[in-house]
Amino acid sequence: MAKLHLFDLDGTLLYGSAAPVEISRQLGLAEEIAEIERAFVTREIGPPEFATRVRELWADLTEAHVAAAFEGAPWLSGIREVWADIRAGGDYCAVVSLSPGFFVERLLGWGAHAAYGSRFPAVPFREPIDPAGILSAAAKVRIADELCAKFGVGRADCVAYGDSMSDAELFGALPVSVAVNADHHVSGLASYAYTGSDLREVYELIRNRR
């Protein structure tokens, strides 16, 4: 039976950072995004309000900013190699993140079979945020089930990789999970734990598990 590997983005594939942080840095708004991130982590705001606030913060955002943020982000080493190995073995890999889809979907070019993020207006922004398009922790489980149906696998065939509270529900729903540079929200739920900056080392923890 094939396996489905489900990767979080912020703090997981991105080492010590997040897509909104990298995008904001391109706009010179590091302090402003830090305050919004703090409010989200402490649960003063939820995903829809977070999205609304960053959409307002990024009033001058262009595709060039997004491309520069993606290219300059602190990615884990070995992402392309791991995904190529997953594909070569007949398995599947997907990225599911609360961050903007216009950033997350760029990972399709690195070999992900699917990439899901929160639905933002097209860049440069002309439309408001639609809260219905903003993902949540629960949405990660729903998307995982949709991908299972698409690829013909079950939850028992999935591996989740994540680092924080947005991954907790997915870790609770799947039998195998890897906490990558994780905080307390998922460290006690995970099957495996990894601290470091190389996805190839993460993958070695579970690659021979069948």
Side-chain angles (χ1 to χ4, degrees):
M1 176 65 71
K3 288 194 174 295
L4 170 59
H5 299 261
L6 295 158
F7 295 90
D8 172 53
L9 174 68
D10 301 324
T12 303
L13 295 176
L14 283 175
Y15 183 62
S17 190
V21 172
E22 296 304 313
I23 293 168
S24 297
R25 283 176 178 164
Q26 294 298 320
L27 295 164
L29 298 169
E31 293 184 6
E32 290 83 351
I33 193 61
E35 176 58 26
I36 298 174
E37 289 270 351
R38 182 204 61 76
F40 181 71
V41 169
T42 58
R43 302 191 185 187
E44 294 174 30
I45 60 174
E49 186 175 352
F50 179 91
T52 298
R53 290 178 64 176
V54 297
R55 183 250 183 260
E56 293 170 353
L57 185 66
W58 297 341
D60 298 324
L61 186 65
T62 66
E63 284 289 350
H65 291 126
V66 178
F70 186 88
E71 292 165 9
W75 298 101
L76 291 187
S77 300
I79 294 174
R80 292 177 180 86
E81 292 90 337
V82 168
W83 290 354
D85 192 79
I86 288 172
R87 281 179 168 269
D91 293 336
Y92 303 96
C93 53
V95 183
V96 186
S97 171
L98 274 59
S99 277
F102 59 72
F103 189 97
V104 182
E105 290 160 11
R106 288 173 175 263
L107 288 167
L108 293 171
W110 286 15
H113 287 91
Y116 289 80
S118 291
R119 190 170 64 249
F120 273 62
V123 176
F125 299 139
R126 297 290 183 268
E127 304 295 329
I129 290 291
D130 178 1
I134 305 304
L135 300 186
S136 63
K140 287 193 172 188
V141 179
R142 172 181 57 78
I143 291 170
D145 286 337
E146 291 173 358
L147 289 171
C148 283
K150 177 180 179 179
F151 296 128
V153 301
R155 286 189 179 185
D157 308 305
C158 293
V159 182
Y161 304 78
D163 75 304
S164 64
M165 64 179 179
S166 70
D167 304 300
E169 290 193 40
L170 188 61
F171 275 36
L174 301 182
V176 182
S177 55
V178 185
V180 180
N181 298 314
D183 64 22
H184 68 281
H185 292 99
V186 295
S187 57
L189 299 173
S191 310
Y192 303 92
Y194 171 79
T195 301
S197 59
D198 197 320
L199 192 63
R200 290 164 294 199
E201 296 173 353
V202 179
Y203 186 49
E204 282 298 321
L205 296 174
I206 54 85
R207 70 178 300 177
N208 296 318
R209 180 187 175 98
R210 287 287 175 184

